[in-house]
Amino acid sequence: MKKFINATIYGNPDSHEILVENNQFKVIGNDLGDADEVIDLGGRLVLPPYVDPHLHLDYIFSGLGEGNANISGTLFEGIQRWSDNKKTLTEELVRERAMKGIQKEVSKGVQFIRTHVDITDPNLTGMKALIKLREELKSIVTLQLVAFPQEGFFRYKGAEELMEKALEMGADAAGGIPHFEISYEHGVESLRRIVDLAIKYDVMIDIHCDENDDPNSRFLEVLNALVTEKEYGEYTTASHTTSFASVENSYANKMMGLFKESKINFISCPTENAHLQGRGDTYPKRRGLTRVKELLANGNNVAFAQDSIADYWYPLGNGNMMNILDNGIHLAHYTHIDEINKAFDLITYNGANIMRVNEEYGIEAGKPANFIVLDATDAYEAIRERAEVLASVRNGEYLFKRAPRVNEIEIDFLKEL
Ligand code: 17E
Ligand code: FE2
């Protein structure tokens, strides 16, 4: 039995001790009595692990190297560059890159990742590699795989059959990219078929939806309508929806009512889309975020995600969810103190809701003892200081633990910091 004392538990201000037994949380409370090992957290903030609910692991780090830069900085150039380069892909290469990406994220406190895997590939190379990794790494990280038709459900010949094959192989969700199909009608029909496939295979839905700046892009409306009719909103996520920031307020208000009914989820990728969107703008330049603050106020679940690390779409990224959160709350104006105090939800609980892993997620008795410790004593300080993750615990065991930073040399003036 292990006891963690002097913890500041996010969302549970009255309890400061955590008792762990047999890989599970046994009790959360105070004065919990004896244990074999007592770990003093010194008042530091304890959170459930970071969740990255939208990451492309099959092409992670593909953009490194000379000649790989996306010159226009647009989504379309990224898709073209990937298309040109993926023909030589091997399972070994996907595995190697994905492993490196997962290591990056886990080393920064992430334990849950949903990854989109391109299935517009006759060999389903990425899917084969990632299905193996999902099993192999499950004691370290929970991976969910979305069967994602990057080059279009109709636009890529045979994508429908490949998607079905990937779902038979065990993908956890069906993806789509309606704004990339060759017409509005094709986009709508792709959504119909994807929703039907998801229901047939009893998997979740996560669509790259309206990832553009077109105020008339309407696939979010269509997706929402389809899953409303099937009562599938809670199993459905609309990723990106950047165009929704450009629509008329009167239209947005109408849609908010419909989203409330469907309970559809949203994922915003603040750094990725700040980079990709607004490329056709001079000034003012759009920010690339959907209506995060308003959707949250509407009662819809919204999570932030990394999306890319050094691939054909985005040259930066390192799997640090604090960086994503910091950028996201700034771009979304989610910066009132009351919002900052609950902003960790966007990279923890909200992503876990999307992945529907609630039964194994959260600092509660009976759940697997998964948590992280930050180098700060409350949520506000942690976000303001962009606090580092000092420890990540999974099933009661450390994935890592590191000492807080110390200066080797400092003047007296800095000693109090
Ligand atoms: N593919 C896509 O369609 N959109 C993105 N943002 C990335 C890949 C990274
Ligand atoms: Fe994406």
Side-chain angles (χ1 to χ4, degrees), residues 54-56 59 75 78-79 82 116 148-150 176-177 179-180 208 211 240 269 272-273 276-277 306-309 311-314:
H54 188 126
L55 181 67
H56 294 266
Y59 35 67
L75 169 67
I79 296 175
W82 168 241
H116 290 255
F148 171 49
Q150 176 67 80
I177 183 164
H179 53 275
F180 190 66
H208 280 66
E211 190 184 10
H240 301 293
C269 305
E272 171 86 13
N273 284 119
L276 286 177
Q277 305 315 131
Q306 170 78 67
D307 201 5
S308 278
I309 299 179
D311 61 20
Y312 291 109
W313 288 261
Y314 179 64

Side-chain angles (χ1 to χ4, degrees), residues 234-248:
E234 283 172 280
Y235 302 90
T236 301
T237 298
S239 280
H240 301 293
T241 65
T242 50
S243 74
F244 194 57
S246 293
V247 303
E248 263 292 309

Side-chain angles (χ1 to χ4, degrees), residues 2-9 15-19 29-35 37-46 371 373:
K2 275 190 206 130
K3 189 168 67 156
F4 295 83
I5 62 167
N6 293 319
T8 301
I9 302 171
S15 301
H16 300 284
E17 295 191 359
I18 300 169
L19 205 57
N30 297 299
D31 306 319
L32 298 183
D34 289 339
E37 192 184 346
V38 177
I39 298 131
D40 189 343
L41 296 178
R44 290 198 176 84
L45 182 65
V46 172
F371 62 94
V373 181

Side-chain angles (χ1 to χ4, degrees), residues 135-413:
E135 179 61 24
E136 205 174 308
L137 298 178
K138 69 180 181 198
S139 65
I140 293 170
V141 62
T142 303
L143 276 181
Q144 269 182 5
L145 314 181
V146 183
F148 171 49
Q150 176 67 80
E151 293 191 56
F153 187 82
F154 290 125
R155 198 162 167 180
Y156 186 91
K157 298 263 173 314
E160 188 163 11
E161 292 72 33
L162 288 163
M163 162 113 50
E164 190 142 13
K165 216 163 160 187
L167 293 171
E168 274 163 13
M169 283 162 68
D172 303 282
I177 183 164
H179 53 275
F180 190 66
E181 305 294 346
I182 60 173
S183 75
Y184 174 70
E185 279 72 19
H186 288 76
V188 170
E189 184 58 23
S190 78
L191 288 176
R192 278 189 202 288
R193 298 217 195 162
I194 291 160
V195 169
D196 287 347
L197 276 175
I199 290 171
K200 175 174 169 192
Y201 284 90
D202 193 22
V203 296
M204 293 172 281
I205 298 170
D206 192 332
I207 305 292
H208 280 66
C209 196
D210 296 335
E211 190 184 10
N212 56 35
D213 291 322
D214 176 0
N216 298 313
S217 208
R218 289 289 181 267
F219 296 112
L220 175 56
E221 176 180 312
V222 175
L223 174 65
N224 188 66
L226 291 171
V227 300
T228 299
E229 283 177 347
K230 307 275 189 195
E231 296 183 15
Y232 218 64
E234 283 172 280
Y235 302 90
T236 301
T237 298
S239 280
H240 301 293
T241 65
T242 50
S243 74
F244 194 57
S246 293
V247 303
E248 263 292 309
N249 288 335
S250 59
Y251 173 70
N253 289 341
K254 169 199 158 178
M255 289 313 303
M256 287 292 182
L258 296 170
F259 298 151
K260 196 175 270 189
E261 275 177 43
S262 71
K263 302 193 178 69
I264 192 170
N265 302 279
F266 291 84
I267 290 177
S268 173
C269 305
T271 54
E272 171 86 13
N273 284 119
H275 165 78
L276 286 177
Q277 305 315 131
R279 291 284 171 169
D281 296 348
T282 51
Y283 287 93
K285 256 188 216 303
R286 279 167 282 188
R287 294 172 171 228
L289 256 71
T290 193
R291 299 185 180 217
V292 170
K293 190 178 165 104
E294 294 76 10
L295 287 166
L296 287 166
N298 195 48
N300 288 94
N301 186 46
V302 185
F304 284 151
Q306 170 78 67
D307 201 5
S308 278
I309 299 179
D311 61 20
Y312 291 109
W313 288 261
Y314 179 64
L316 299 166
N318 63 7
N320 183 349
M321 294 306 291
M322 177 59 83
N323 184 45
I324 302 301
L325 181 64
D326 188 32
N327 276 277
I329 62 174
H330 280 90
L331 291 165
H333 283 170
Y334 202 66
T335 39
H336 183 282
I337 182 64
D338 295 343
E339 293 166 336
I340 297 168
N341 278 330
K342 59 185 177 186
F344 271 117
D345 287 0
L346 287 150
I347 55 168
T348 59
Y349 289 104
N350 296 5
N353 282 337
I354 283 173
M355 292 179 69
R356 302 189 67 81
V357 290
N358 312 50
E359 275 170 28
E360 52 174 309
Y361 191 86
I363 301 167
E364 291 167 41
K367 292 190 172 179
N370 301 336
F371 62 94
I372 56 177
V373 181
L374 267 66
D375 192 13
T377 53
D378 61 47
Y380 175 44
E381 185 198 13
I383 290 175
R384 193 165 36 83
E385 294 280 355
R386 293 177 160 216
E388 231 187 304
V389 178
L390 294 181
S392 182
V393 174
R394 184 147 169 116
N395 296 320
E397 304 292 334
Y398 285 111
L399 296 176
F400 66 80
K401 178 175 186 293
R402 53 177 76 106
R405 257 185 233 201
V406 287
N407 292 334
E408 280 182 27
I409 299 172
E410 63 188 6
I411 60 169
D412 287 346
F413 178 67

Side-chain angles (χ1 to χ4, degrees), residues 62-73:
S62 61
L64 293 176
E66 220 172 310
N68 277 337
N70 179 329
I71 312 288
S72 64

